[in-house]
Amino acid sequence: MRPPTFCVWCATLGLALVAGCAPSLDWRELTVEGSGASALFPCRPENRVRQVNLAGMSVQMHLASCTAGGFNFALSHLDVGDPVRAEQALEQLQLITAANMGGTPTAIGPCNVPGMTPSPRARRLAVKGVRDDGSPVEAEAIYFSRGAVVYQATLVGGHLDKEAADTFFASLKTE
């Protein structure tokens, strides 16, 4: 028979190993209200709406976002009323993201979200910038459209987790 302290040590080690294998983010698929899109989020997003000027018009931008594991996950959408304007809006959103972070966008590659409208402006970008307090910030974002609806999915943090970014972006789909 083994001494009780050895058994306690084994049990503690076993729990530590199981905890080490547990994912740090609790992913669940959510359909973003009114967006026609869904994604895996590691937290329950809050929904907001704000007016923005894009593609030569004032439109409502709907944003679903939450914070988990030190990262902000967001999916926004807006209807520009015309698929031709969607191309211009995609380009403007990419420039706005970089400007808001005080950085320069770097293309990671094209994106292929199930259900999206094919477009040369649909892409995945990375931006490194600086927060207002001087601390570094990184973002990755995917921009795509479906008809006249333009989408932006973004992951922002001090230093990005490639696995979290890949999981979030790979889960995107439109109806």
Side-chain angles (χ1 to χ4, degrees), residues 51-91:
Q51 284 298 123
V52 295
N53 291 316
L54 203 60
M57 58 191 296
S58 179
V59 295
Q60 287 189 334
M61 177 181 270
H62 300 264
L63 173 71
S65 68
C66 61
T67 302
F71 307 107
N72 182 268
F73 297 82
L75 176 58
S76 62
H77 68 282
L78 49 100
D79 189 338
V80 293
D82 180 355
V84 174
R85 284 193 177 131
E87 291 294 303
Q88 182 183 4
L90 285 169
E91 189 167 331

Side-chain angles (χ1 to χ4, degrees), residues 69-143:
F71 307 107
N72 182 268
F73 297 82
L75 176 58
S76 62
H77 68 282
L78 49 100
D79 189 338
V80 293
D82 180 355
V84 174
R85 284 193 177 131
E87 291 294 303
Q88 182 183 4
L90 285 169
E91 189 167 331
Q92 287 178 357
L93 281 174
Q94 294 166 27
L95 295 172
I96 290 168
T97 301
N100 286 344
M101 294 181 56
T104 303
T106 302
I108 295 175
C111 71
N112 187 17
V113 175
M116 70 176 243
T117 300
S119 166
R121 290 193 174 98
R123 57 184 82 137
R124 183 170 174 176
L125 299 177
V127 179
K128 291 185 179 187
V130 179
R131 290 188 170 109
D132 291 339
D133 65 5
S135 63
V137 63
E138 294 182 19
E140 279 194 28
I142 287 186
Y143 305 86

